[in-house]
Structure formats: structure tokens, C-alpha cells
Amino acid sequence: VHTMLQKIPASKTKIAVLVNSKGGCFAQTHIIMQKIRAVARRNKAEVWTFGQEWALNAGFLLLASGNRVYVDG
């Protein structure tokens, strides 16, 4: 994830995160969230998260970390 996030050009002002997770480890999810927020700060960008089929446990934590959260109920 870190390598992928570092490839985001500094000109991008929106970062979209698609979440489809039935769970996961909170510690690793927190690290991912920190890296996403660091790139967002660097770019002065908003983070938009999108819930797809599942956003359970740690997936919900990642979903809730966005500046804007979108889900399809």
C-alpha cells in the first residue's frame, strides 16, 4: 500500500479509497490509515471512502476514516 500511495502525484486533490472487507487486523488498518492521511496532508487532498459489499470490523474503521464517506445500502 505504501508504494502505491507514494505514486499518487502531488497535483491530486482527492484520494478515493474503495473498502470491501469482511474484517482484518485493526493494527494494520491503522497503519494504512496513517499512510493515506500522510499522502492527503502532502497533497492537501480530501480522502473519499466508498463502501462496497462489506465494511466489517477493521474495514469499517478504514471506511470511517474518510473526509467523505459513501455507502450503497
Side-chain angles (χ1 to χ4, degrees), residues 6 12 17 23 32 42 47 49 52 54 64-66 68-69 72:
Q6 293 306 319
K12 298 297 179 186
V17 179
I32 292 168
R42 179 193 77 195
V47 177
T49 56
Q52 293 186 313
W54 301 93
S65 70
R68 293 184 184 218
V69 178
D72 184 12

Side-chain angles (χ1 to χ4, degrees), residues 29-54:
T29 300
H30 189 262
I31 292 168
I32 292 168
M33 287 171 41
Q34 287 177 320
K35 293 188 182 299
I36 291 170
R37 300 308 298 170
V39 172
R41 276 191 305 278
R42 179 193 77 195
N43 290 15
K44 296 183 175 104
E46 279 191 324
V47 177
W48 292 14
T49 56
F50 297 85
Q52 293 186 313
E53 290 183 53
W54 301 93

